[in-house]
Amino acid sequence: RTTMAGVPLPRRTVEHLLTEEITQAFGPVNDSPRYPASVFQVDPTLQPVTLSPLDVRVLKIIYQLPLGVTASEAARHVDIQG
């Protein structure tokens, strides 16, 4: 049984937190209210436990970029349509 501050957590909450924190270790570090299917959703009632297609795409984008690129250079490397 997993608890936070002595309060038991539902299994889905634990799965969501593990998925989100492990994924954030690979790159994206902020939560967002804009994409409800994303593991980075801030609404605690949604709690997705798998990566959405958008989450997978963000991770792929991060890892295809050359090291040390600026934001404007990164924009030239990213195909936002597909």
Side-chain angles (χ1 to χ4, degrees):
R1 172 170 265 191
T2 304
T3 62
M4 183 178 288
V7 178
L9 295 175
R11 181 178 179 90
R12 184 165 185 87
T13 299
V14 173
E15 290 173 353
H16 167 75
L17 290 171
L18 287 171
T19 303
E20 179 183 8
E21 296 305 323
I22 290 169
T23 305
Q24 284 180 334
F26 287 108
V29 294
N30 294 323
D31 295 336
S32 172
R34 296 176 72 189
Y35 306 102
S38 173
V39 74
F40 301 109
Q41 171 56 251
V42 294
D43 182 343
T45 63
L46 297 177
Q47 300 182 347
V49 296
T50 59
L51 298 179
S52 71
L54 176 64
D55 296 332
V56 172
R57 204 158 151 238
V58 167
L59 289 170
K60 285 181 178 180
I61 288 169
I62 289 171
Y63 284 96
Q64 77 181 13
L65 292 173
L67 293 176
V69 297
T70 65
S72 61
E73 292 170 334
R76 292 192 299 263
H77 287 277
V78 177
D79 172 15
I80 61 171
Q81 300 301 316

